[in-house]
Amino acid sequence: MTLYNDEVDVLILGSGCAALVAALHAAGAGLKVLVCEKTSKFGGTSAMSAGGIWIAANPLARKAGIDDDLDEAFAYMCAVAPEGWNFPQHWRALLDAGPRMLDLLQSRTPLRFKLTGEPDPYADAPGAKVKGRMLSVLPISRLAARGNAFRVRGSTLPEIFTYHELLETDLYHKPVSTTLRLLPRLAGRMISLSAGKGTALMIGLIRGCQDAGVRLQTRAAGTELIVVDGRVTGAVVNHCGKPQRIRARVATLIATGGFEWSADMMRRHFVSPVQFFGSPDGNTGDGQRMAQAAGAELAAMDQANVTAAIPRRYEGMVHGMPVPYHAEENAIVVNRHGQRFWDELHVNLGEALIERDPQTGEPLHLPAFVITDARYPKKAPLVRFFARLVPGWLVKAPTIPDLARKIGIDPDALNRTVERFNGFAATGVDEDFERGKTRAHQKADKRKRAGLEPIAKPPFIAIRFNPSIMSTKGGPRTDPQGRVLRPDGTVIEGLYAAGASMANPIGTRGVGAGTTLGPFMSWGYLCADDMIRQARKSGILPS
């Protein structure tokens, strides 16, 4: 009987940004690497993202003369972490890996990056920077990925635009006129089959991995980890319907994404109701289940990348397209009690949205709604267009009390909330949540508008604003080298976890707009760093 059908040095399950950065780094050091992607497309949730990347003390900032260092970034992360969220060794490890990771990408892939004008959102925290930590990829042709050109996942977002263009134009409010104004450059991209944002990132990473000799397989789903004498020695992978036992001489990396498309896991670990998912429907928690079966401790299972999203059809299903539809001047977000509960323009509104009652564990605010008036549809044409995909998602009524009754909220409570907000609009000062106070720090983001306008013109509108999940962020607990841990704190040798598949050290609270992709990529790099050390220690690579 053959124990294994195939043998590699490093087996990587998943093909998002953390997975491919790890593959690129490991293969570049001389290791034989196999990447197995469950679906028919590479890129995972990373390819569907807007493509913002937060990396402190990065080489682009240094070249631009922006003063930043890792000690300042570490102080910032410590200062803005939620109460009780304390992972200093993990934070320091991913911060240290970030600049080296970006150097690797710029030297070993065709990817090129550009800084954005975005600041750290907690501007008053120690170590915060007004500019220099946020960047994104420039457009790249799908043809760069050669034979995998059309096996890189697209997005619910229009991939022809760059992240920078989303920030620097008013595309969300004026999609037609903005597209016409940018048409000359967009035409060139269409001719060259170029993409921006997360799709561009994954095209470049695929090309880098190809050049480094990484084997890439689609329709290859990991189903079980192989454990011998307490060590993970590989995995069973169902490739095109045929189970294969693959040996990994150095390590197996779980980077299979989140579990948001698993109804059972969401029911057990997350608040309800949830609105839309912005990830591939293959994200069903395979990596988390495999790791737990191999003895791993799961943690942070109630954490996620939570955002505002509107419905968009993708691969035959309704997914969520990230759009800040709650951030208009004449709009507020209210909870099931008809009350505002957070600054609608705050980057971490999603964190408040999923807040739980500490006694019961039930959500404090859900269901939630955006409340606005008749002027809103003209301001938000994308919402007006895509609302038809989900009947009942947007409702109208002639008065605020009538609207409240339609959505199941106390009419008097909602009426008081709207009247109070309209009073703030008259004075220009939000006395409850200081909305708009930090707008001076975010002038580059034209998707969000400063100012307060009354909600006064009928018919009045309510739009559901329950959590939309780009990816969950819970999974096996790891040490600062990315090695998976058992409940007793011991290391499961040969097993690593990264990205949305791990108990992420940056949970729901983002320390910047790009603190999903940036830390995920940095973590993939540091996992590969440790694999390379282990390979040298065991003699698989020369020391």
Side-chain angles (χ1 to χ4, degrees):
M1 175 181 174
T2 303
L3 184 59
Y4 297 103
N5 305 102
D6 198 358
E7 180 175 290
V8 294
D9 295 322
V10 175
L11 173 61
I12 297 178
L13 304 177
S15 69
C17 65
L20 294 192
V21 167
L24 178 68
H25 189 22
L31 293 172
K32 183 180 177 182
V33 181
L34 172 62
V35 171
C36 292
E37 164 57 42
K38 174 183 180 179
T39 72
S40 62
K41 299 283 181 68
F42 294 114
T45 310
S46 304
M48 298 179 68
S49 73
I53 303 169
W54 190 90
I55 302 172
N58 65 73
L60 276 73
R62 186 169 60 248
K63 186 176 180 180
I66 297 172
D67 184 33
D68 191 12
D69 64 54
L70 297 175
D71 289 338
E72 286 183 296
F74 181 68
Y76 174 70
M77 292 186 75
C78 291
V80 304
E83 184 178 354
W85 200 259
N86 188 32
F87 302 98
Q89 291 180 307
H90 292 71
W91 295 336
R92 189 75 212 202
L94 69 86
L95 287 170
D96 289 345
R100 291 183 289 134
M101 178 273 296
L102 194 60
D103 280 336
L104 173 74
L105 266 56
Q106 295 194 113
S107 63
R108 300 294 298 272
T109 78
L111 292 170
R112 294 298 175 263
F113 301 87
K114 178 184 174 184
L115 293 175
T116 77
E118 295 167 285
D120 288 335
Y122 295 92
D124 298 329
K129 292 293 177 182
V130 174
K131 185 179 180 180
R133 291 174 179 167
M134 275 296 299
L135 52 97
S136 188
V137 64
L138 296 176
I140 187 171
S141 172
R142 278 186 171 272
L143 299 179
R146 297 176 176 144
N148 288 313
F150 298 101
R151 289 203 291 169
V152 178
R153 183 172 293 282
S155 176
T156 56
L157 293 162
E159 67 180 52
I160 197 168
F161 294 97
T162 67
Y163 183 81
H164 302 91
E165 288 162 351
L166 297 186
L167 293 175
E168 296 161 6
T169 71
D170 209 6
L171 181 64
Y172 287 147
H173 295 106
K174 301 174 181 177
V176 176
S177 61
T178 301
T179 299
L180 290 174
R181 183 163 57 84
L182 298 178
L183 195 56
R185 73 174 75 161
L186 299 179
R189 289 178 198 162
M190 287 187 281
I191 292 169
S192 63
L193 299 177
S194 293
K197 300 189 291 297
T199 304
L201 177 67
M202 302 316 297
I203 290 169
L205 283 171
I206 287 285
R207 173 58 180 270
C209 286
Q210 289 173 328
D211 290 347
V214 175
R215 285 170 54 201
L216 299 157
Q217 292 182 344
T218 57
R219 303 185 188 277
T223 60
E224 179 187 355
L225 295 173
I226 301 170
V227 183
V228 178
D229 296 330
R231 177 185 176 86
V232 171
T233 61
V236 178
V237 174
N238 191 324
H239 184 214
C240 296
K242 183 179 179 180
Q244 293 186 322
R245 295 172 63 87
I246 301 174
R247 182 187 180 199
R249 295 199 301 163
V250 176
T252 299
L253 172 66
I254 290 176
T256 51
F259 58 84
E260 56 275 5
W261 285 92
S262 167
D264 175 61
M265 294 180 77
M266 288 295 287
R267 200 163 35 244
R268 283 188 284 129
H269 299 296
F270 216 76
V271 296
S272 180
V274 173
Q275 189 154 274
F276 306 120
F277 300 137
S279 59
D281 61 4
N283 284 16
T284 54
D286 301 349
Q288 288 86 344
R289 281 190 288 263
M290 285 188 285
Q292 189 173 40
E297 177 185 15
L298 302 187
M301 296 294 281
D302 60 349
Q303 302 295 299
N305 180 5
V306 181
T307 189
I310 64 175
R312 175 76 190 274
R313 191 162 294 281
Y314 178 83
E315 295 186 341
M317 301 172 64
V318 173
H319 282 59
M321 178 170 66
V323 172
Y325 66 96
H326 60 292
E328 301 301 329
E329 300 99 321
N330 62 325
I332 57 175
V333 176
V334 301
N335 60 20
R336 67 172 180 264
H337 307 295
Q339 301 168 339
R340 292 175 70 210
F341 55 94
W342 198 257
D343 172 4
E344 288 88 354
L345 302 184
H346 198 283
V347 68
N348 280 313
L349 174 60
E351 181 183 9
L353 196 63
I354 64 170
E355 189 177 1
R356 298 172 184 258
D357 185 314
Q359 303 300 320
T360 66
E362 294 299 311
L364 283 175
H365 303 297
L366 303 180
F369 301 87
V370 172
I371 305 298
T372 184
D373 66 14
R375 295 168 298 149
Y376 179 89
K378 186 175 180 180
K379 291 183 176 185
L382 292 179
V383 175
R384 184 176 67 226
F385 181 78
F386 287 110
R388 59 190 170 80
L389 294 176
V390 182
W393 179 62
L394 183 153
V395 299
K396 298 180 180 181
T399 69
I400 290 295
D402 287 339
L403 187 68
R405 281 185 279 270
K406 275 193 171 185
I407 60 177
I409 286 178
D410 178 65
D412 291 335
L414 184 59
N415 205 51
R416 285 193 299 271
T417 296
V418 171
E419 287 181 351
R420 182 169 177 80
F421 176 79
N422 289 348
F424 298 155
T427 64
V429 178
D430 178 0
E431 296 177 11
D432 289 340
F433 299 105
E434 299 184 320
R435 171 169 146 180
K437 183 179 179 181
T438 61
R439 301 307 317 143
H441 298 289
Q442 301 183 27
K443 289 180 180 178
D445 191 349
K446 294 185 180 180
R447 295 173 297 174
K448 299 178 181 178
R449 297 180 173 183
L452 307 170
E453 290 184 0
I455 300 168
K457 185 176 181 180
F460 298 95
I461 297 171
I463 312 170
R464 293 191 180 277
F465 194 73
N466 295 321
S468 288
I469 309 297
M470 296 299 105
S471 68
T472 57
K473 298 177 83 172
R477 194 163 61 88
T478 70
D479 68 7
Q481 289 75 48
R483 301 179 298 177
V484 173
L485 301 176
R486 299 182 179 89
D488 64 3
T490 59
V491 170
I492 300 177
E493 297 294 339
L495 184 62
Y496 295 73
S501 305
M502 65 180 288
N504 202 274
I506 300 178
T508 299
R509 178 174 296 183
V511 301
T515 48
T516 299
L517 287 183
F520 280 14
M521 294 160 70
S522 300
W523 200 263
Y525 182 93
L526 70 84
C527 284
D529 237 14
D530 196 69
M531 293 175 194
I532 293 165
R533 282 192 292 270
Q534 297 300 326
R536 287 173 178 157
K537 185 177 178 181
S538 64
I540 292 173
L541 287 178
S543 57

